Amino acid sequence: MSLHNQSSNKKSTIVIVGGGAGGLSLLNNLSTTIDPDEQRVILIDARPTMIHLASTLRLVVSDADNLLKRSIHPYGDHTFRNKLTGTGIFIHASVKEIDFGKPGDGGILTLDNGGTVAYDVLVLATGSTWPRPIAFPTENMNKITEHVQKIRAEFAAAQDILLVGGGSVGIELSGELRDVFPSKPITIIHREKYLLNATYPDKYRIAVQKQLEGRGITILTGDAISALDASNVAGSQISRDGFITEQGKTLKADLVIPTWGTRPNTTYLPSDLLSSTGHVKILPTFQLPAHPNVFAFGDIMDWNEQKTAANASFFQAPKVAKNIILYLRESEGIAKYNGSFVMIMVTNGKTSGMSYFNILWGIIVGGWISSLMKSKDLMVSRISGMTGYTPV
């Protein structure tokens, strides 16, 4: 597929690469502000479906809540609503290369399916790459289903599970595993002194650890196993003698799951646009310094704050949408991003969790309140409002 505008009085083409929480929030913002006589929107994603990240760790553990159907929504005509109805285009593909053109002019994307797409405004919202349990295939729904079933079978067969990395992925996965396997040994090993990272106060990080330990989950902080050992997740690759940690402890797990290693999904971009960590260098307006018609936001942007779906959806996407329209109209008043306040909600199975909000003196909320906010439903009931799709 090749999409190019030929006429001199053509509509401006806005291309959004990435249809996750940030990309869809941007699309929905644009759907109420765009002029369909002047602009059109193309959405490109590597998968044919939007996978609701917040529910994936429950999804890969068991068939509870029918999440294969409820938390994975296909893209389609329903994705484009309001002023985009009947005009939006979805393309299932990955970007291989970008010809940015001259500064301020349009460019061309080369896709892995052999097609090309021309743009006047390009938005990069490709998010993160995630550890193996939730590194879902890109081909089709059948492949995604096979992946989920394989991971579920590994968890069910394991006698002793080791999660390498005590960030939010490791924490939430341990809680989901404990819900389904109440007596199975589960251990988290984490290199830092406390779980999570220093963005959050020690009292919160300690409270999270105590809550997990209260459910019989073993926490080893200030310790690690080698990167080679952490990657050997297949049972045939695990020594019967177990692992010796850097602090000299012996771990006998028969299933090792890496829950670290989240990276910005930016390998398709030239290195001069990226920071040393692989994030896209941007101005406070979300524009790339050398390409004012290219915007980047969400997990991939080089900004000193935690990368969360909430930040991308609620604090960034509305400003990106506003700035795109202002840029196309050559208007003043482009909005600058000043960051968002720190907040985190980590689940501990369906009935518990721990949240932190950096307001007032720093508020920590646990137990049933966190369950009501996130843990019980994982916000699955809200997905249709974002995707326009209702599972049947």
Side-chain angles (χ1 to χ4, degrees):
M1 172 183 288
S2 296
L3 295 177
H4 298 267
N5 289 309
Q6 303 296 333
S7 114
S8 59
N9 59 351
K10 65 181 178 68
K11 293 182 181 181
S12 296
T13 299
I14 303 167
V15 176
I16 303 171
V17 183
L24 286 182
S25 295
L26 172 62
L27 186 72
N28 291 332
N29 274 275
L30 286 172
S31 76
T32 61
T33 59
I34 202 169
D35 182 346
D37 293 327
E38 298 291 334
Q39 297 108 21
R40 68 170 182 164
V41 176
I42 298 171
L43 175 66
I44 300 173
D45 196 271
R47 296 186 182 89
T49 60
M50 185 274 190
I51 301 178
H52 181 241
L53 186 63
S55 58
T56 52
L57 295 171
R58 185 168 298 165
L59 167 68
V60 298
V61 171
S62 78
D63 60 1
D65 301 333
N66 195 22
L67 293 179
L68 263 175
K69 177 179 287 187
R70 296 179 60 227
S71 66
I72 302 178
H73 291 195
Y75 301 107
D77 291 343
H78 52 265
T79 307
F80 303 93
R81 293 174 284 178
N82 301 317
K83 295 180 180 180
L84 294 176
T85 301
T87 65
I89 298 171
F90 171 72
I91 300 173
H92 172 208
S94 294
V95 174
K96 286 183 61 179
E97 187 178 358
I98 304 175
D99 178 357
F100 291 96
K102 296 179 181 180
D105 290 345
I108 298 175
L109 305 177
T110 301
L111 308 179
D112 65 350
N113 62 10
T116 58
V117 177
Y119 67 84
D120 295 289
V121 170
L122 174 64
V123 185
L124 307 175
T126 43
S128 295
T129 60
W130 293 88
R132 190 183 73 94
I134 53 175
F136 296 97
T138 60
E139 295 92 332
N140 53 52
M141 188 61 196
N142 286 338
K143 292 292 186 181
I144 293 170
T145 301
E146 289 173 6
H147 172 85
V148 170
Q149 292 172 339
K150 179 181 179 181
I151 299 297
R152 287 176 181 174
E154 288 183 2
F155 287 136
Q159 299 300 307
D160 191 324
I161 300 172
L162 173 63
L163 307 179
V164 184
S168 59
V169 172
I171 292 167
E172 294 196 354
L173 180 56
S174 71
E176 298 300 333
L177 288 167
R178 178 55 76 230
D179 274 6
V180 178
F181 308 110
S183 59
K184 190 170 290 191
I186 301 167
T187 300
I188 297 175
I189 189 168
H190 188 60
R191 186 177 293 277
E192 294 195 31
K193 183 178 180 181
Y194 303 117
L195 295 174
L196 299 167
N197 61 56
T199 300
Y200 310 106
D202 289 352
K203 63 179 181 179
Y204 173 70
R205 300 165 73 187
I206 293 168
V208 171
Q209 176 169 337
K210 288 182 177 178
Q211 191 183 74
L212 293 174
E213 290 173 335
R215 300 193 70 195
I217 297 167
T218 301
I219 309 295
L220 301 177
T221 55
D223 205 351
I225 59 175
S226 71
L228 176 63
D229 287 341
S231 67
N232 289 343
V233 295
S236 61
Q237 297 172 305
I238 297 176
S239 169
R240 292 182 179 181
D241 296 328
F243 300 94
I244 305 297
T245 73
E246 292 180 0
Q247 298 300 317
K249 295 184 179 69
T250 300
L251 304 177
K252 293 284 190 176
D254 64 334
L255 179 63
V256 180
I257 298 292
T259 49
W260 52 271
T262 301
R263 298 286 184 270
N265 183 17
T266 56
T267 55
Y268 60 94
L269 293 171
S271 59
D272 62 308
L273 300 182
L274 305 177
S275 69
S276 60
T277 59
H279 292 88
V280 181
K281 292 180 282 190
I282 61 166
L283 301 172
T285 57
F286 300 100
Q287 293 164 293
L288 274 60
H291 305 286
N293 62 328
V294 181
F295 297 76
F297 76 107
D299 287 8
I300 66 170
M301 72 180 195
D302 185 28
W303 200 270
N304 186 24
E305 67 178 6
Q306 293 298 291
K307 312 303 184 187
T308 69
N311 283 348
S313 300
F314 301 121
F315 296 100
Q316 298 165 15
K319 288 192 174 183
V320 176
K322 175 183 177 181
N323 288 354
I324 289 170
I325 300 302
L326 290 173
Y327 170 81
L328 288 172
R329 293 174 180 168
E330 299 182 352
S331 300
E332 300 294 328
I334 287 185
K336 293 185 177 181
Y337 184 62
N338 297 313
S340 60
F341 74 93
V342 175
M343 61 170 285
I344 185 172
M345 292 186 286
V346 292
T347 64
N348 183 355
K350 292 191 75 169
T351 60
S352 190
M354 191 76 64
S355 304
Y356 172 75
F357 303 91
N358 186 27
I359 54 177
L360 300 175
W361 55 88
I363 297 175
I364 296 175
V365 178
W368 65 272
I369 298 178
S370 284
S371 176
L372 288 175
M373 290 192 295
K374 180 181 177 183
S375 304
K376 184 177 181 180
D377 180 65
L378 296 174
M379 304 179 186
V380 171
S381 59
R382 305 180 189 179
I383 306 174
S384 293
M386 178 167 52
T387 65
Y389 176 78
T390 301
V392 294

